[in-house]
Amino acid sequence: MEYEKLFVFLRRYFLYTFLFSIPFLFLFFEEIMGKRATFNFWLASFIPQVLSFIFLCYKYHFFKKLKDCFLNSFLFDWKRVSLILIIAICLPFLVIFINYVILKSIDINFSINQIYFKKTPIIFILTFCSALIEELIFRFIPYELIPKRMNFKNIFIVNSIFCIAHIFNPNPNIIGLISILLAGFLLTVIYLKTNNIIYSTLIHTFWNFIIGPILGGNVSGIYIGGVFSYKLCKSNILSGGNYGMEGSIISVILLFLFLLIVKKAFLNKNDE
């Protein structure tokens, strides 16, 4: 079976992550059950993922490939870097702008929370680290275990797993899961076209960082708090409800449009 190695790896990854999480469940039980992204909540999520990833990379002899992956990340194509940064910044801000200015489905309180404001550099680093481990698990690893081909079947299967991994987050909804699936498609196309894990990580990071620690919204259902805050004014289908901006139909539309743009922009001659 073409995907057997991938399914075995991911089954082991989720099992080991759960086992490594057990001590943190006892240490930070109240904060984890509170479903709010405090620093301890982040530790309880991030550390088990990293330990599982390192252990499995050792078992599968992936360290050499991992090293090459990061070395490739330093081979910048500045035209592509510019496009990636435009996408990374414009995508979340467009979702916010349409919801706030045009549809008026949210009402933003622009009073600055000084506590969060002072911590934004640290929070950005933590957000980047979280995005990076997810990109390694759901972009780098799958395409070391299955043929690195740009086809719908491969991308759909890999990102269905990425989507399923978010089902257990608080306040899930169908639109949010469709957004997660499309975001996975976008990140995978970027990774496969550039062979650069940092590009997809940057987009992942800026989305989470702008929607969460800056705007003060929920990210995939998890409340983070932020420099600003907002309240919901209209139906969940527009605002995303308690799942956050991923649950907004606007996110689905924009993610699909950006996916088409990226696919065209990164089109190779042999893809035509």
Side-chain angles (χ1 to χ4, degrees), residues 80 83-84 87 149-152 155 182 185-194 203 254-272:
R80 287 184 170 180
L83 179 59
I84 293 300
I87 294 170
R149 294 196 302 264
M150 180 72 71
N151 65 51
F152 180 81
I155 295 175
L182 284 173
F185 269 69
L186 176 65
L187 297 171
T188 299
V189 168
I190 288 171
Y191 173 64
L192 290 178
K193 288 292 187 181
T194 64
I203 291 179
L254 289 177
L255 281 165
F256 183 73
L257 292 175
F258 273 86
L259 178 59
L260 295 179
I261 292 169
V262 164
K263 194 172 185 301
K264 182 67 176 176
F266 289 164
L267 192 67
N268 299 322
K269 290 183 179 179
N270 56 0
D271 293 327
E272 296 175 342

Side-chain angles (χ1 to χ4, degrees), residues 97-116:
F97 176 82
I98 292 171
N99 271 290
Y100 177 59
V101 176
I102 299 175
L103 300 176
K104 302 187 185 303
S105 61
I106 61 173
D107 182 25
I108 301 175
N109 177 4
F110 286 103
S111 300
I112 295 175
N113 184 321
Q114 292 294 335
I115 295 174
Y116 275 95

